[in-house]
Amino acid sequence: MVSKMTEDLTLNMDAYLPLRDVVFNTLREAILKGELKPGERLMELQLAAKLGVSRTPIREAIRMLEQEGLAVTIPRKGAEVAKMTEKDMEDVLQIREALDELAAKIACEQGKEVTYQGEKYVYNEDLVSILFLGVDKEAFEEGGTVGDGKAGQADALFLLVLDTKTGKSRLIAISRDTMTDVNVYSDLGNFIGTEKLQLCLAYTYGDGKEKSCENTVRAVSRLFYGMPVAAYAALDLDAIAVLTDAVGGVEVTVTKDLTIQDPSLKEGERKVLTGEQAQWYVRSRLVEEKEATADANSDRIERQKQYLAAFGGKAAEQFRKNPLFLLTLYQKIKDFSVTNLSAAEVTYLGTLLFRGGFQDTGILSIKGEASMGETYAEFHVDEQAMYEMVLEVFYRKAGKDHEK
């Protein structure tokens, strides 16, 4: 007889994976979540009928579960869920996570040369990528636990890709609602697996500081086909005011009426944002989250791009007046940020950025379609457009340009 837990199984289809891998991921997740209990029989016929597939992918998936130590085959009885201690389960999950990271690294190494539509492209080895995150919390709390759900979310995400040889840069805006593979952890901090979730939730599955940033970096790298992201800088809400005031205010043309937040933020008005006012400008979505439409985040992203372009111009101006400005800025936001960049690295990279001619226009956006999921908005990337953006930003055509 099939247990109730097994009856609840549904196949999580993924158009980009072989069927055996889809079945494996479905069964693996059920085991890790306790829906398939230790010692429970894994009967090919019943599982095939329940998941609507043939016995072949079921058999292959069970073999893969055995290789991970999540299932065992007992002579004259068949396969069943392995009986493991909590320590055994933790070891399996850690090994799996390490293997996933190794596979991503190998994929990246193999992707240094690609051919697309008859053209050969070579990865630009001079690039360094930095992920900037705006976190929806007023302070980074100490002592957070991975997976406890209290870390907050990455409400704004921008990827800076800097060519360390030329100083040229590209800034890419990434919607918080982007649906992508995110590493998920239990409330005890144990790695469970990956799920297709809003990108902003990658930060949630962390400690609210470094682990959250690292998990978000991992998800963004996956989104960009394994492109390496070397560094991160997460800013809390209070950092916006500090940054804005540090450059003497940021001037923008108000794109939407925000008088509900600030009477002076009238649509079409030219306004120098300062302090908390800047925070409202880049944060407000104009509607409550429960009333949000699929594209509610789009206008906010445009305001964030507008703010960043203007802020970058003011910061470059300050740098030209005082080369130590970047170090001063780093010290000012130290208590409002989490980063794996040292003061020396920020100064070096910032100097390259501004001397290379900071571009105040042309911030890229990822193409795709916004829709409402069961509960929240979802942004689904246009895969072809995304691939072409990766080639444009991270690669260069082989030939004369490459030889130089």
Side-chain angles (χ1 to χ4, degrees), residues 125-164:
E125 299 281 0
D126 298 318
L127 299 180
V128 60
S129 299
I130 306 166
L131 180 65
F132 291 92
L133 307 91
V135 181
D136 63 346
K137 295 190 68 102
E138 292 184 349
F140 293 106
E141 300 173 6
E142 296 291 341
T145 302
V146 174
D148 66 4
K150 300 178 182 179
Q153 298 181 7
D155 234 14
L157 301 104
F158 287 83
L159 185 66
L160 175 66
V161 184
L162 174 64
D163 189 320
T164 58

Side-chain angles (χ1 to χ4, degrees), residues 94-377:
Q94 288 178 348
I95 291 169
R96 179 65 185 184
E97 185 175 18
L99 288 173
D100 285 345
E101 291 184 359
L102 178 60
K105 182 178 180 181
I106 292 172
C108 182
E109 290 292 322
Q110 292 175 338
K112 287 184 177 179
E113 291 189 6
V114 297
T115 300
Y116 180 68
Q117 294 184 349
E119 294 277 4
K120 186 176 180 181
Y121 295 83
V122 179
Y123 178 72
N124 185 352
E125 299 281 0
D126 298 318
L127 299 180
V128 60
S129 299
I130 306 166
L131 180 65
F132 291 92
L133 307 91
V135 181
D136 63 346
K137 295 190 68 102
E138 292 184 349
F140 293 106
E141 300 173 6
E142 296 291 341
T145 302
V146 174
D148 66 4
K150 300 178 182 179
Q153 298 181 7
D155 234 14
L157 301 104
F158 287 83
L159 185 66
L160 175 66
V161 184
L162 174 64
D163 189 320
T164 58
K165 189 173 183 179
T166 65
K168 293 181 179 180
S169 63
R170 302 303 296 268
L171 187 61
I172 305 170
I174 311 172
S175 172
R176 70 186 295 281
D177 300 329
T178 301
M179 301 300 291
T180 192
D181 291 327
V182 172
N183 276 22
V184 175
Y185 297 82
S186 71
D187 55 6
L188 296 176
N190 296 322
F191 176 66
I192 295 175
T194 60
E195 289 186 25
K196 191 78 75 174
L197 299 171
Q198 288 177 311
L199 177 57
C200 62
L201 297 177
Y203 193 89
T204 305
Y205 286 100
D207 60 354
K209 297 189 77 175
E210 289 82 4
K211 295 296 183 184
S212 287
C213 291
E214 290 165 6
N215 201 38
T216 309
V217 163
R218 188 180 296 115
V220 168
S221 179
R222 285 191 183 124
L223 178 65
F224 282 80
Y225 300 103
M227 293 298 101
V229 179
Y232 59 78
L235 307 174
D236 66 20
L237 295 175
D238 292 337
I240 300 171
V242 175
L243 288 169
T244 303
D245 291 342
V247 297
V250 173
E251 188 173 12
V252 299
T253 299
V254 180
T255 59
K256 291 285 185 180
D257 187 277
L258 295 171
T259 52
I260 191 172
Q261 305 291 0
D262 186 318
S264 69
L265 296 178
K266 298 178 182 178
E267 184 175 356
E269 291 283 323
R270 194 69 180 163
K271 183 72 179 176
V272 176
L273 303 173
T274 57
E276 190 174 286
Q277 190 179 59
Q279 183 187 131
W280 284 119
Y281 192 76
V282 299
R283 283 189 63 207
S284 178
R285 281 201 284 183
L286 304 178
V287 293
E288 295 294 329
E289 188 164 357
K290 62 183 178 181
E291 301 172 354
T293 58
D295 61 351
N297 192 46
S298 299
D299 175 69
R300 180 168 64 169
I301 290 177
E302 291 307 309
R303 277 183 276 120
Q304 290 169 352
K305 288 166 63 177
Q306 181 195 37
Y307 169 87
L308 284 173
F311 172 82
K314 289 295 292 288
E317 182 182 319
Q318 294 286 344
F319 171 77
R320 286 191 290 270
K321 294 177 181 177
N322 176 17
L324 294 178
F325 171 73
L326 291 170
L327 182 59
T328 302
L329 196 63
Y330 181 88
Q331 295 297 336
K332 281 180 179 291
I333 65 167
K334 195 170 184 179
D335 293 336
F336 309 97
S337 63
V338 175
T339 182
N340 61 347
L341 290 169
S342 67
E345 289 169 329
V346 168
T347 302
Y348 167 69
L349 295 172
T351 300
L352 287 176
L353 177 67
F354 292 133
R355 285 184 176 169
F358 181 83
Q359 300 163 354
D360 61 358
T361 59
I363 298 176
L364 300 175
S365 291
I366 297 172
K367 294 180 180 179
E369 183 177 349
S371 61
M372 286 304 297
E374 292 184 8
T375 308
Y376 301 109

Side-chain angles (χ1 to χ4, degrees), residues 66-85:
E66 289 177 336
Q67 291 173 350
E68 279 207 358
L70 294 174
V72 294
T73 297
I74 300 174
R76 295 185 296 278
K77 184 179 180 182
E80 64 178 41
V81 177
K83 297 173 183 177
M84 296 187 293
T85 65

